[in-house]
Amino acid sequence: MSLALIPGSFDPMTVGHLDIIKRALTLYDEVVVAVMVNEQKNYEHTLQERTEMAELTVAGLDRVRVISSEGLLIDLFDQLGADVIVKGIRNEKDRAYEEKMAEWNLAHNPRAVTVFLQAADDYEQVNSTRVRELVRAGESPDNLVVPAVAAYLAALDERKS
């Protein structure tokens, strides 16, 4: 049984992320989505909120589970017994960043191989930053996130007001 680990900040998870997850399901028996903490990033949403939105995004998908982790990806990889790390890339900037991360992971854990999935054309412009910008501007991020996440973000925004 093959297990793919899809790590990310997912602040929040978008339909582009969901597409990568669904495509990974065609290649691997199980997918674990790991909502991670990157100390170099400032998050709009808490780890718990990001995890809840990821769970809403993948709800109903068999063979997918969501976890959160504040540790190192290479350690989580071994803890889960993962076979591969899957990362989506939208453009050359993503590719350059992800290749450096993949090299670091492999240097520190020789089993931690990364597979890159190119974003589908429909999702090349979809990113979490755009979702956050829309929400801050009081606009709905429809078509960038699943409806349940759009509702979750609206409810969060109301609570903050």
Side-chain angles (χ1 to χ4, degrees):
M1 181 154 192
S2 58
L3 188 149
L5 175 58
I6 302 182
S9 297
F10 306 117
D11 190 24
M13 184 174 279
T14 69
V15 293
H17 295 125
L18 179 59
D19 182 61
I20 296 295
I21 293 164
K22 287 179 177 178
R23 289 170 48 208
L25 276 172
T26 68
L27 302 170
Y28 305 99
D29 297 317
E30 182 181 4
V31 170
V32 174
V33 174
V35 182
M36 306 289 290
V37 174
N38 179 340
E39 298 298 331
Q40 297 173 346
K41 289 187 175 183
N42 294 316
Y43 294 106
E44 183 93 10
H45 303 97
T46 67
L47 181 59
Q48 179 179 341
E49 290 167 344
R50 292 184 289 123
T51 302
E52 289 172 1
M53 288 186 279
E55 289 169 343
L56 289 170
T57 302
V58 302
L61 287 181
D62 291 333
R63 303 180 293 125
V64 177
R65 61 186 162 115
V66 175
I67 64 171
S68 61
S69 176
E70 297 184 53
L72 289 176
L73 177 60
I74 56 172
D75 295 335
L76 181 62
F77 183 87
D78 281 341
Q79 290 166 11
L80 295 171
D83 296 293
V84 66
I85 298 165
V86 173
K87 296 294 291 189
I89 52 172
R90 293 167 298 171
N91 52 44
E92 287 306 312
K93 183 179 174 185
D94 277 359
R95 179 177 293 280
Y97 175 80
E98 294 300 348
E99 283 178 350
K100 284 185 184 205
M101 295 303 300
E103 288 171 10
W104 189 93
N105 289 335
L106 197 57
H108 292 85
N109 183 339
R111 284 192 346 93
V113 173
T114 301
V115 170
F116 300 109
L117 295 180
Q118 181 67 42
D121 290 345
D122 294 351
Y123 302 112
E124 283 184 344
Q125 302 304 316
V126 175
N127 61 60
S128 298
T129 301
R130 179 72 180 131
V131 172
R132 293 190 306 270
E133 289 170 349
L134 287 169
V135 171
R136 273 189 236 118
E139 298 177 38
S140 177
D142 293 343
N143 302 323
L144 299 180
V145 296
V146 298
V149 170
Y152 184 97
L153 288 167
L156 277 179
D157 196 41
E158 283 181 26
R159 277 187 256 153
K160 291 177 182 176
S161 300

